[in-house]
Amino acid sequence: MTKDWSPRTKSVHSGTRRSQYGEMSEAIFLTQGFVYDSPEQAEARFIESGPDEFIYARYGNPTVRMFEDRIAALEGTEDAFATASGMAAVSGALTSMLKAGDHVVSAKALFGSCLYILEDVLTRFGVEVTFVDGTDLTAWKAAVRDDTKAVFLESVSNPTLEVIDVKGVAEIAHAKGATVVVDNVFATPAFSKAAELGADVIVYSATKHIDGQGRCLGGVICGTREFIRKTAEPYIKHTGGALSPFNAWVMLKGLETLHLRCNAQAESALFIAEALEGHNKLDRTLYPYLNSHPQQAVAKEQMGAGGTVISLDIQGGKDAAFRFLNALDIILISNNLGDSKSIVTHPATTTHQRLSDKKRAELGITDGLVRISIGLEDKADLLADIRTALDAV
Ligand SMILES: Cc1ncc(COP(=O)(O)O)c(C=O)c1O
């Protein structure tokens, strides 16, 4: 039975549906629609489709369903719905469950686009949003009310790597009947324990570690069958954020190597973070598993590893950070993460540029902060690349 398999076995086999040809590799059903034997069959399918019955690729597709079933098995949730991108998953999960007048509590340290959904989009439609310091359980307790419908957080925040106590927040939220929505990108499905810690809805940008090789955009929402099929699916299938079958196939193939990649990348990330800590050109070295990280204990309890991203605060602000980026040889300047190629990002001028100076300062996104997504290259080569670039600062 699938449920008895270990995560690595699930990530290779769960959800596979073979056609009559018994193909080894999952088939790509590159079709927008499906043919019915009769109008009666079409009518019946529109009333209720069985698990192997499809109507239109915006509603569902066999390759996409394989990806949904595999990630749900891995995450430990009843079901999942795949989306066109991580942001389609974040916005779909929230907007499908909220209406005007609802109250949401959110951690304030968020990826720029997540902040846009919470701060600009939801409030425009009459949802009240209270932002809190996500690492402070007393702040969550003070903010969550009897009428709070949902809480939202990134379990590890982008790019300052704050780790939020998912279990603690879930206990506070559940006491008031609120749904816990966790953006789990930095924790990765390989290290996630979000479902067992109490997250009700878990969203991923599959663009990151799930693909892991920089090819496709994708996202996924994991949750109970009731939430996925009755709340998320109707909203997404009618608003158009479905995942393409080709991208779902890439994500399925990505899941097969997810654990190998994430474990190797996290091991290198810890090695590099430990080696750089205390470097005379750095104000801060941020990595959840470092002894100096303020939430190291929470990270160790709720993540199987420290993740694949480190952030460095380089002394000397933007000029110093840009000199560092320009001096790197192996590590590429881009803005994705979780890729097999190491990537460096300067959040203040890219992913978080939209924020005011004041807001960035409040979130600890200094002009010297760089985020490095550690890839699959040799860790000694990466460390040497970073050290040489720091010498150039
Ligand atoms: C925490 C987090 N959530 C969501 C997203 C959005 O994912 P996508 O680019 O696939 O829409 C990102 C992308 O960087 C992210 O870092």
Side-chain angles (χ1 to χ4, degrees):
M1 290 296 291
T2 300
K3 65 176 165 26
D4 295 331
W5 291 345
S6 72
R8 280 181 61 162
T9 306
K10 288 178 181 170
S11 68
V12 176
H13 289 291
S14 289
T16 303
R17 288 154 188 253
R18 292 202 162 83
S19 77
Q20 70 272 33
Y21 300 113
E23 63 280 353
M24 170 61 75
S25 176
E26 295 76 358
I28 311 178
F29 289 91
L30 209 51
T31 177
Q32 54 65 40
F34 301 84
V35 177
Y36 312 104
D37 294 336
S38 64
E40 289 81 4
Q41 190 187 49
E43 182 186 35
R45 219 173 270 187
F46 268 81
I47 295 169
E48 192 171 355
S49 306
D52 284 312
E53 293 176 344
F54 298 93
I55 293 174
Y56 191 57
R58 178 156 48 77
Y59 289 28
N61 168 287
T63 312
V64 176
R65 190 59 59 81
M66 284 193 260
F67 170 60
E68 291 170 344
D69 288 350
R70 187 168 296 175
I71 188 84
L74 195 54
E75 196 60 39
T77 55
E78 286 175 1
D79 213 338
F81 197 86
T83 56
S85 68
M87 287 321 302
V90 172
S91 63
L94 290 170
T95 41
S96 66
M97 76 167 82
L98 296 170
K99 59 177 184 339
D102 282 342
H103 178 241
V104 172
V105 181
S106 173
K108 62 182 171 190
L110 298 178
F111 169 55
S113 300
C114 293
L115 198 59
Y116 177 76
I117 302 291
L118 272 297
E119 210 172 32
D120 294 60
V121 179
L122 292 181
T123 50
R124 195 144 39 85
F125 289 91
V127 175
E128 186 193 348
V129 184
T130 306
F131 289 98
V132 295
D133 171 355
T135 62
D136 180 0
L137 287 182
T138 55
W140 286 99
K141 204 161 190 153
V144 176
R145 315 189 304 225
D146 289 338
D147 66 340
T148 301
K149 187 78 191 293
V151 303
F152 179 80
L153 57 99
E154 288 173 15
S155 47
V156 181
S157 70
N158 180 358
T160 47
L161 310 181
E162 285 182 357
V163 183
I164 296 185
D165 180 348
V166 175
K167 189 161 174 244
V169 174
E171 276 165 10
I172 293 165
H174 289 159
K176 302 284 186 188
T179 302
V180 178
V181 184
V182 174
D183 180 331
N184 218 20
V185 163
F186 281 62
T188 84
F191 305 134
S192 167
K193 295 183 193 156
E196 72 189 69
L197 293 169
D200 302 300
V201 178
I202 302 155
V203 294
Y204 285 105
S205 163
T207 319
K208 311 293 183 284
H209 305 83
I210 295 176
D211 172 0
Q213 286 151 86
R215 299 163 294 194
C216 289
L217 282 176
V220 67
I221 307 172
C222 305
T224 61
R225 181 143 304 127
E226 173 81 10
F227 176 76
I228 294 298
R229 298 296 154 195
K230 300 274 168 55
T231 302
E233 179 188 317
Y235 178 85
I236 294 160
K237 77 184 186 187
H238 293 302
T239 54
L243 182 66
S244 87
F246 181 79
N247 287 11
W249 180 82
V250 172
M251 301 308 175
L252 271 167
K253 291 288 138 194
L255 282 180
E256 291 181 3
T257 57
L258 177 85
H259 290 83
L260 289 177
R261 287 183 286 105
C262 287
N263 280 315
Q265 290 170 236
E267 190 205 306
S268 298
L270 178 61
F271 168 81
I272 292 166
E274 283 179 342
L276 291 175
E277 194 164 33
H279 191 288
N280 63 5
K281 299 274 176 73
L282 298 177
D283 275 333
R284 292 181 295 167
T285 302
L286 303 173
Y287 184 68
Y289 264 35
L290 280 183
N291 291 335
S292 57
H293 193 286
Q295 294 94 39
Q296 186 204 33
V298 182
K300 291 210 157 170
E301 205 183 306
Q302 71 181 29
M303 283 164 68
T308 66
V309 178
I310 64 174
S311 290
L312 305 175
D313 206 345
I314 300 173
Q315 290 165 8
K318 180 181 163 186
D319 286 351
F322 274 27
R323 270 201 297 280
F324 172 75
L325 263 66
N326 281 319
L328 287 165
D329 181 25
I330 303 168
I331 302 175
L332 305 169
I333 303 169
S334 191
N335 36 264
N336 196 23
L337 59 95
D339 199 285
S340 56
K341 295 185 174 70
S342 292
I343 289 172
V344 65
T345 309
H346 184 247
T349 52
T350 59
T351 53
H352 292 71
Q353 189 192 78
R354 200 182 63 84
L355 273 53
S356 66
D357 292 350
K358 184 168 168 272
K359 187 102 190 178
R360 277 199 299 275
E362 198 188 317
L363 296 177
I365 305 172
T366 61
D367 288 345
L369 190 79
V370 299
R371 186 189 76 191
I372 305 179
S373 170
I374 300 298
L376 285 173
E377 303 93 338
D378 187 276
K379 61 188 178 192
D381 288 348
L382 293 176
L383 181 59
D385 197 26
I386 295 171
R387 282 207 164 119
T388 307
L390 283 173
D391 287 345
V393 168

PDB file of all heavy atoms in Angstrom, residues 77-112:
ATOM      1  N   THR A  77      -0.962  14.390   2.648  1.00  0.00           N
ATOM      2  CA  THR A  77      -2.303  14.973   2.639  1.00  0.00           C
ATOM      3  C   THR A  77      -3.226  14.097   1.790  1.00  0.00           C
ATOM      4  O   THR A  77      -2.749  13.297   0.988  1.00  0.00           O
ATOM      5  CB  THR A  77      -2.301  16.408   2.068  1.00  0.00           C
ATOM      6  OG1 THR A  77      -1.710  16.389   0.757  1.00  0.00           O
ATOM      7  CG2 THR A  77      -1.512  17.353   2.960  1.00  0.00           C
ATOM      8  N   GLU A  78      -4.525  14.281   1.956  1.00  0.00           N
ATOM      9  CA  GLU A  78      -5.459  13.412   1.221  1.00  0.00           C
ATOM     10  C   GLU A  78      -5.426  13.664  -0.276  1.00  0.00           C
ATOM     11  O   GLU A  78      -5.649  12.764  -1.074  1.00  0.00           O
ATOM     12  CB  GLU A  78      -6.892  13.675   1.723  1.00  0.00           C
ATOM     13  CG  GLU A  78      -7.172  13.087   3.077  1.00  0.00           C
ATOM     14  CD  GLU A  78      -8.556  13.463   3.587  1.00  0.00           C
ATOM     15  OE1 GLU A  78      -9.324  14.161   2.889  1.00  0.00           O
ATOM     16  OE2 GLU A  78      -8.853  13.064   4.716  1.00  0.00           O
ATOM     17  N   ASP A  79      -5.182  14.922  -0.653  1.00  0.00           N
ATOM     18  CA  ASP A  79      -5.314  15.253  -2.076  1.00  0.00           C
ATOM     19  C   ASP A  79      -4.442  16.470  -2.400  1.00  0.00           C
ATOM     20  O   ASP A  79      -3.840  17.083  -1.497  1.00  0.00           O
ATOM     21  CB  ASP A  79      -6.793  15.555  -2.389  1.00  0.00           C
ATOM     22  CG  ASP A  79      -7.189  15.123  -3.799  1.00  0.00           C
ATOM     23  OD1 ASP A  79      -6.286  14.995  -4.659  1.00  0.00           O
ATOM     24  OD2 ASP A  79      -8.395  14.946  -4.054  1.00  0.00           O
ATOM     25  N   ALA A  80      -4.388  16.805  -3.675  1.00  0.00           N
ATOM     26  CA  ALA A  80      -3.611  17.975  -4.113  1.00  0.00           C
ATOM     27  C   ALA A  80      -4.194  18.487  -5.423  1.00  0.00           C
ATOM     28  O   ALA A  80      -4.810  17.716  -6.174  1.00  0.00           O
ATOM     29  CB  ALA A  80      -2.150  17.598  -4.304  1.00  0.00           C
ATOM     30  N   PHE A  81      -4.017  19.776  -5.699  1.00  0.00           N
ATOM     31  CA  PHE A  81      -4.421  20.340  -6.995  1.00  0.00           C
ATOM     32  C   PHE A  81      -3.238  21.106  -7.563  1.00  0.00           C
ATOM     33  O   PHE A  81      -2.652  21.955  -6.898  1.00  0.00           O
ATOM     34  CB  PHE A  81      -5.651  21.256  -6.859  1.00  0.00           C
ATOM     35  CG  PHE A  81      -6.314  21.500  -8.195  1.00  0.00           C
ATOM     36  CD1 PHE A  81      -7.267  20.603  -8.678  1.00  0.00           C
ATOM     37  CD2 PHE A  81      -5.962  22.592  -8.979  1.00  0.00           C
ATOM     38  CE1 PHE A  81      -7.862  20.793  -9.926  1.00  0.00           C
ATOM     39  CE2 PHE A  81      -6.561  22.795 -10.224  1.00  0.00           C
ATOM     40  CZ  PHE A  81      -7.502  21.891 -10.697  1.00  0.00           C
ATOM     41  N   ALA A  82      -2.877  20.776  -8.803  1.00  0.00           N
ATOM     42  CA  ALA A  82      -1.696  21.387  -9.419  1.00  0.00           C
ATOM     43  C   ALA A  82      -2.072  22.687 -10.114  1.00  0.00           C
ATOM     44  O   ALA A  82      -3.156  22.806 -10.695  1.00  0.00           O
ATOM     45  CB  ALA A  82      -1.092  20.409 -10.421  1.00  0.00           C
ATOM     46  N   THR A  83      -1.156  23.636 -10.081  1.00  0.00           N
ATOM     47  CA  THR A  83      -1.426  24.966 -10.635  1.00  0.00           C
ATOM     48  C   THR A  83      -0.286  25.404 -11.573  1.00  0.00           C
ATOM     49  O   THR A  83       0.794  24.815 -11.578  1.00  0.00           O
ATOM     50  CB  THR A  83      -1.560  26.006  -9.501  1.00  0.00           C
ATOM     51  OG1 THR A  83      -0.360  25.959  -8.704  1.00  0.00           O
ATOM     52  CG2 THR A  83      -2.758  25.724  -8.614  1.00  0.00           C
ATOM     53  N   ALA A  84      -0.567  26.464 -12.318  1.00  0.00           N
ATOM     54  CA  ALA A  84       0.362  26.918 -13.358  1.00  0.00           C
ATOM     55  C   ALA A  84       1.670  27.469 -12.800  1.00  0.00           C
ATOM     56  O   ALA A  84       2.679  27.505 -13.505  1.00  0.00           O
ATOM     57  CB  ALA A  84      -0.328  27.977 -14.209  1.00  0.00           C
ATOM     58  N   SER A  85       1.668  27.912 -11.567  1.00  0.00           N
ATOM     59  CA  SER A  85       2.883  28.465 -10.940  1.00  0.00           C
ATOM     60  C   SER A  85       2.689  28.412  -9.428  1.00  0.00           C
ATOM     61  O   SER A  85       1.578  28.133  -8.945  1.00  0.00           O
ATOM     62  CB  SER A  85       3.094  29.927 -11.376  1.00  0.00           C
ATOM     63  OG  SER A  85       2.065  30.733 -10.831  1.00  0.00           O
ATOM     64  N   GLY A  86       3.749  28.736  -8.714  1.00  0.00           N
ATOM     65  CA  GLY A  86       3.627  28.806  -7.258  1.00  0.00           C
ATOM     66  C   GLY A  86       2.668  29.905  -6.836  1.00  0.00           C
ATOM     67  O   GLY A  86       1.900  29.742  -5.879  1.00  0.00           O
ATOM     68  N   MET A  87       2.686  31.020  -7.563  1.00  0.00           N
ATOM     69  CA  MET A  87       1.790  32.116  -7.184  1.00  0.00           C
ATOM     70  C   MET A  87       0.337  31.768  -7.464  1.00  0.00           C
ATOM     71  O   MET A  87      -0.571  32.217  -6.753  1.00  0.00           O
ATOM     72  CB  MET A  87       2.197  33.427  -7.869  1.00  0.00           C
ATOM     73  CG  MET A  87       3.447  34.055  -7.294  1.00  0.00           C
ATOM     74  SD  MET A  87       3.629  33.960  -5.479  1.00  0.00           S
ATOM     75  CE  MET A  87       2.143  34.770  -4.906  1.00  0.00           C
ATOM     76  N   ALA A  88       0.076  30.955  -8.506  1.00  0.00           N
ATOM     77  CA  ALA A  88      -1.301  30.498  -8.739  1.00  0.00           C
ATOM     78  C   ALA A  88      -1.746  29.620  -7.571  1.00  0.00           C
ATOM     79  O   ALA A  88      -2.925  29.625  -7.187  1.00  0.00           O
ATOM     80  CB  ALA A  88      -1.394  29.732 -10.055  1.00  0.00           C
ATOM     81  N   ALA A  89      -0.802  28.889  -6.976  1.00  0.00           N
ATOM     82  CA  ALA A  89      -1.140  28.055  -5.814  1.00  0.00           C
ATOM     83  C   ALA A  89      -1.416  28.927  -4.585  1.00  0.00           C
ATOM     84  O   ALA A  89      -2.412  28.727  -3.883  1.00  0.00           O
ATOM     85  CB  ALA A  89      -0.004  27.070  -5.520  1.00  0.00           C
ATOM     86  N   VAL A  90      -0.561  29.924  -4.333  1.00  0.00           N
ATOM     87  CA  VAL A  90      -0.763  30.798  -3.163  1.00  0.00           C
ATOM     88  C   VAL A  90      -2.073  31.572  -3.317  1.00  0.00           C
ATOM     89  O   VAL A  90      -2.931  31.564  -2.419  1.00  0.00           O
ATOM     90  CB  VAL A  90       0.424  31.790  -3.004  1.00  0.00           C
ATOM     91  CG1 VAL A  90       0.123  32.818  -1.914  1.00  0.00           C
ATOM     92  CG2 VAL A  90       1.713  31.051  -2.684  1.00  0.00           C
ATOM     93  N   SER A  91      -2.251  32.226  -4.470  1.00  0.00           N
ATOM     94  CA  SER A  91      -3.454  33.055  -4.627  1.00  0.00           C
ATOM     95  C   SER A  91      -4.697  32.171  -4.706  1.00  0.00           C
ATOM     96  O   SER A  91      -5.742  32.511  -4.151  1.00  0.00           O
ATOM     97  CB  SER A  91      -3.342  33.971  -5.845  1.00  0.00           C
ATOM     98  OG  SER A  91      -3.242  33.211  -7.017  1.00  0.00           O
ATOM     99  N   GLY A  92      -4.579  31.000  -5.366  1.00  0.00           N
ATOM    100  CA  GLY A  92      -5.736  30.101  -5.476  1.00  0.00           C
ATOM    101  C   GLY A  92      -6.167  29.560  -4.128  1.00  0.00           C
ATOM    102  O   GLY A  92      -7.355  29.508  -3.814  1.00  0.00           O
ATOM    103  N   ALA A  93      -5.189  29.152  -3.313  1.00  0.00           N
ATOM    104  CA  ALA A  93      -5.530  28.607  -1.989  1.00  0.00           C
ATOM    105  C   ALA A  93      -6.258  29.654  -1.159  1.00  0.00           C
ATOM    106  O   ALA A  93      -7.270  29.368  -0.507  1.00  0.00           O
ATOM    107  CB  ALA A  93      -4.262  28.147  -1.274  1.00  0.00           C
ATOM    108  N   LEU A  94      -5.771  30.894  -1.202  1.00  0.00           N
ATOM    109  CA  LEU A  94      -6.358  31.937  -0.347  1.00  0.00           C
ATOM    110  C   LEU A  94      -7.683  32.462  -0.923  1.00  0.00           C
ATOM    111  O   LEU A  94      -8.690  32.526  -0.214  1.00  0.00           O
ATOM    112  CB  LEU A  94      -5.360  33.085  -0.157  1.00  0.00           C
ATOM    113  CG  LEU A  94      -4.142  32.737   0.710  1.00  0.00           C
ATOM    114  CD1 LEU A  94      -3.084  33.832   0.642  1.00  0.00           C
ATOM    115  CD2 LEU A  94      -4.551  32.490   2.165  1.00  0.00           C
ATOM    116  N   THR A  95      -7.684  32.829  -2.195  1.00  0.00           N
ATOM    117  CA  THR A  95      -8.910  33.457  -2.725  1.00  0.00           C
ATOM    118  C   THR A  95     -10.052  32.457  -2.834  1.00  0.00           C
ATOM    119  O   THR A  95     -11.211  32.844  -2.763  1.00  0.00           O
ATOM    120  CB  THR A  95      -8.667  34.161  -4.083  1.00  0.00           C
ATOM    121  OG1 THR A  95      -7.824  33.354  -4.872  1.00  0.00           O
ATOM    122  CG2 THR A  95      -8.014  35.505  -3.918  1.00  0.00           C
ATOM    123  N   SER A  96      -9.727  31.167  -2.993  1.00  0.00           N
ATOM    124  CA  SER A  96     -10.823  30.190  -3.090  1.00  0.00           C
ATOM    125  C   SER A  96     -11.555  30.043  -1.762  1.00  0.00           C
ATOM    126  O   SER A  96     -12.723  29.670  -1.740  1.00  0.00           O
ATOM    127  CB  SER A  96     -10.290  28.830  -3.555  1.00  0.00           C
ATOM    128  OG  SER A  96      -9.440  28.261  -2.583  1.00  0.00           O
ATOM    129  N   MET A  97     -10.890  30.336  -0.653  1.00  0.00           N
ATOM    130  CA  MET A  97     -11.543  30.105   0.648  1.00  0.00           C
ATOM    131  C   MET A  97     -12.050  31.388   1.320  1.00  0.00           C
ATOM    132  O   MET A  97     -12.782  31.319   2.302  1.00  0.00           O
ATOM    133  CB  MET A  97     -10.588  29.372   1.603  1.00  0.00           C
ATOM    134  CG  MET A  97      -9.514  30.245   2.200  1.00  0.00           C
ATOM    135  SD  MET A  97      -8.673  29.439   3.582  1.00  0.00           S
ATOM    136  CE  MET A  97      -7.516  28.414   2.725  1.00  0.00           C
ATOM    137  N   LEU A  98     -11.644  32.563   0.784  1.00  0.00           N
ATOM    138  CA  LEU A  98     -11.968  33.811   1.481  1.00  0.00           C
ATOM    139  C   LEU A  98     -13.054  34.608   0.785  1.00  0.00           C
ATOM    140  O   LEU A  98     -13.238  34.503  -0.431  1.00  0.00           O
ATOM    141  CB  LEU A  98     -10.703  34.673   1.599  1.00  0.00           C
ATOM    142  CG  LEU A  98      -9.572  34.075   2.446  1.00  0.00           C
ATOM    143  CD1 LEU A  98      -8.292  34.881   2.286  1.00  0.00           C
ATOM    144  CD2 LEU A  98      -9.980  33.996   3.917  1.00  0.00           C
ATOM    145  N   LYS A  99     -13.740  35.425   1.542  1.00  0.00           N
ATOM    146  CA  LYS A  99     -14.725  36.344   0.970  1.00  0.00           C
ATOM    147  C   LYS A  99     -14.631  37.688   1.706  1.00  0.00           C
ATOM    148  O   LYS A  99     -13.992  37.772   2.777  1.00  0.00           O
ATOM    149  CB  LYS A  99     -16.137  35.767   1.059  1.00  0.00           C
ATOM    150  CG  LYS A  99     -16.582  35.474   2.461  1.00  0.00           C
ATOM    151  CD  LYS A  99     -18.003  34.983   2.457  1.00  0.00           C
ATOM    152  CE  LYS A  99     -18.566  34.748   3.853  1.00  0.00           C
ATOM    153  NZ  LYS A  99     -17.684  34.544   4.956  1.00  0.00           N
ATOM    154  N   ALA A 100     -15.257  38.697   1.145  1.00  0.00           N
ATOM    155  CA  ALA A 100     -15.249  40.027   1.758  1.00  0.00           C
ATOM    156  C   ALA A 100     -15.715  39.940   3.210  1.00  0.00           C
ATOM    157  O   ALA A 100     -16.675  39.219   3.506  1.00  0.00           O
ATOM    158  CB  ALA A 100     -16.151  40.963   0.965  1.00  0.00           C
ATOM    159  N   GLY A 101     -15.012  40.646   4.082  1.00  0.00           N
ATOM    160  CA  GLY A 101     -15.387  40.656   5.501  1.00  0.00           C
ATOM    161  C   GLY A 101     -14.586  39.661   6.330  1.00  0.00           C
ATOM    162  O   GLY A 101     -14.568  39.755   7.552  1.00  0.00           O
ATOM    163  N   ASP A 102     -13.912  38.699   5.666  1.00  0.00           N
ATOM    164  CA  ASP A 102     -13.118  37.727   6.414  1.00  0.00           C
ATOM    165  C   ASP A 102     -11.851  38.380   6.972  1.00  0.00           C
ATOM    166  O   ASP A 102     -11.360  39.374   6.436  1.00  0.00           O
ATOM    167  CB  ASP A 102     -12.710  36.549   5.507  1.00  0.00           C
ATOM    168  CG  ASP A 102     -13.855  35.563   5.297  1.00  0.00           C
ATOM    169  OD1 ASP A 102     -14.817  35.593   6.089  1.00  0.00           O
ATOM    170  OD2 ASP A 102     -13.784  34.779   4.331  1.00  0.00           O
ATOM    171  N   HIS A 103     -11.333  37.763   8.016  1.00  0.00           N
ATOM    172  CA  HIS A 103     -10.096  38.248   8.633  1.00  0.00           C
ATOM    173  C   HIS A 103      -8.989  37.198   8.480  1.00  0.00           C
ATOM    174  O   HIS A 103      -9.234  36.005   8.669  1.00  0.00           O
ATOM    175  CB  HIS A 103     -10.327  38.541  10.128  1.00  0.00           C
ATOM    176  CG  HIS A 103      -9.101  38.995  10.856  1.00  0.00           C
ATOM    177  ND1 HIS A 103      -8.554  38.297  11.916  1.00  0.00           N
ATOM    178  CD2 HIS A 103      -8.308  40.072  10.667  1.00  0.00           C
ATOM    179  CE1 HIS A 103      -7.485  38.942  12.361  1.00  0.00           C
ATOM    180  NE2 HIS A 103      -7.306  40.019  11.616  1.00  0.00           N
ATOM    181  N   VAL A 104      -7.799  37.667   8.109  1.00  0.00           N
ATOM    182  CA  VAL A 104      -6.637  36.790   7.932  1.00  0.00           C
ATOM    183  C   VAL A 104      -5.492  37.344   8.765  1.00  0.00           C
ATOM    184  O   VAL A 104      -5.304  38.565   8.836  1.00  0.00           O
ATOM    185  CB  VAL A 104      -6.216  36.750   6.433  1.00  0.00           C
ATOM    186  CG1 VAL A 104      -4.899  35.993   6.251  1.00  0.00           C
ATOM    187  CG2 VAL A 104      -7.310  36.103   5.579  1.00  0.00           C
ATOM    188  N   VAL A 105      -4.707  36.449   9.383  1.00  0.00           N
ATOM    189  CA  VAL A 105      -3.466  36.874  10.040  1.00  0.00           C
ATOM    190  C   VAL A 105      -2.308  36.267   9.248  1.00  0.00           C
ATOM    191  O   VAL A 105      -2.346  35.082   8.903  1.00  0.00           O
ATOM    192  CB  VAL A 105      -3.405  36.402  11.513  1.00  0.00           C
ATOM    193  CG1 VAL A 105      -2.117  36.897  12.166  1.00  0.00           C
ATOM    194  CG2 VAL A 105      -4.620  36.901  12.293  1.00  0.00           C
ATOM    195  N   SER A 106      -1.334  37.103   8.936  1.00  0.00           N
ATOM    196  CA  SER A 106      -0.204  36.626   8.139  1.00  0.00           C
ATOM    197  C   SER A 106       1.125  37.043   8.766  1.00  0.00           C
ATOM    198  O   SER A 106       1.240  38.128   9.340  1.00  0.00           O
ATOM    199  CB  SER A 106      -0.292  37.220   6.728  1.00  0.00           C
ATOM    200  OG  SER A 106       0.881  36.909   5.994  1.00  0.00           O
ATOM    201  N   ALA A 107       2.115  36.182   8.607  1.00  0.00           N
ATOM    202  CA  ALA A 107       3.482  36.587   8.941  1.00  0.00           C
ATOM    203  C   ALA A 107       3.868  37.718   8.000  1.00  0.00           C
ATOM    204  O   ALA A 107       3.453  37.722   6.840  1.00  0.00           O
ATOM    205  CB  ALA A 107       4.426  35.406   8.762  1.00  0.00           C
ATOM    206  N   LYS A 108       4.683  38.666   8.487  1.00  0.00           N
ATOM    207  CA  LYS A 108       5.006  39.802   7.616  1.00  0.00           C
ATOM    208  C   LYS A 108       6.230  39.543   6.732  1.00  0.00           C
ATOM    209  O   LYS A 108       6.387  40.187   5.707  1.00  0.00           O
ATOM    210  CB  LYS A 108       5.174  41.083   8.421  1.00  0.00           C
ATOM    211  CG  LYS A 108       6.292  41.078   9.416  1.00  0.00           C
ATOM    212  CD  LYS A 108       6.308  42.389  10.186  1.00  0.00           C
ATOM    213  CE  LYS A 108       7.294  42.297  11.339  1.00  0.00           C
ATOM    214  NZ  LYS A 108       7.211  43.401  12.251  1.00  0.00           N
ATOM    215  N   ALA A 109       7.075  38.586   7.121  1.00  0.00           N
ATOM    216  CA  ALA A 109       8.259  38.296   6.298  1.00  0.00           C
ATOM    217  C   ALA A 109       7.859  37.325   5.191  1.00  0.00           C
ATOM    218  O   ALA A 109       7.763  36.119   5.412  1.00  0.00           O
ATOM    219  CB  ALA A 109       9.355  37.698   7.167  1.00  0.00           C
ATOM    220  N   LEU A 110       7.582  37.882   4.015  1.00  0.00           N
ATOM    221  CA  LEU A 110       7.081  37.072   2.902  1.00  0.00           C
ATOM    222  C   LEU A 110       7.809  37.415   1.616  1.00  0.00           C
ATOM    223  O   LEU A 110       8.309  38.535   1.447  1.00  0.00           O
ATOM    224  CB  LEU A 110       5.586  37.354   2.664  1.00  0.00           C
ATOM    225  CG  LEU A 110       4.585  37.036   3.762  1.00  0.00           C
ATOM    226  CD1 LEU A 110       3.183  37.449   3.306  1.00  0.00           C
ATOM    227  CD2 LEU A 110       4.595  35.556   4.126  1.00  0.00           C
ATOM    228  N   PHE A 111       7.806  36.464   0.677  1.00  0.00           N
ATOM    229  CA  PHE A 111       8.263  36.707  -0.692  1.00  0.00           C
ATOM    230  C   PHE A 111       7.409  37.857  -1.272  1.00  0.00           C
ATOM    231  O   PHE A 111       6.222  37.968  -0.968  1.00  0.00           O
ATOM    232  CB  PHE A 111       8.059  35.403  -1.481  1.00  0.00           C
ATOM    233  CG  PHE A 111       8.232  35.516  -2.958  1.00  0.00           C
ATOM    234  CD1 PHE A 111       9.392  36.036  -3.505  1.00  0.00           C
ATOM    235  CD2 PHE A 111       7.236  35.072  -3.818  1.00  0.00           C
ATOM    236  CE1 PHE A 111       9.549  36.120  -4.877  1.00  0.00           C
ATOM    237  CE2 PHE A 111       7.389  35.149  -5.193  1.00  0.00           C
ATOM    238  CZ  PHE A 111       8.552  35.683  -5.722  1.00  0.00           C
ATOM    239  N   GLY A 112       8.032  38.717  -2.096  1.00  0.00           N
ATOM    240  CA  GLY A 112       7.356  39.913  -2.604  1.00  0.00           C
ATOM    241  C   GLY A 112       5.979  39.657  -3.211  1.00  0.00           C
ATOM    242  O   GLY A 112       5.021  40.381  -2.934  1.00  0.00           O
TER     243      GLY A 112
END
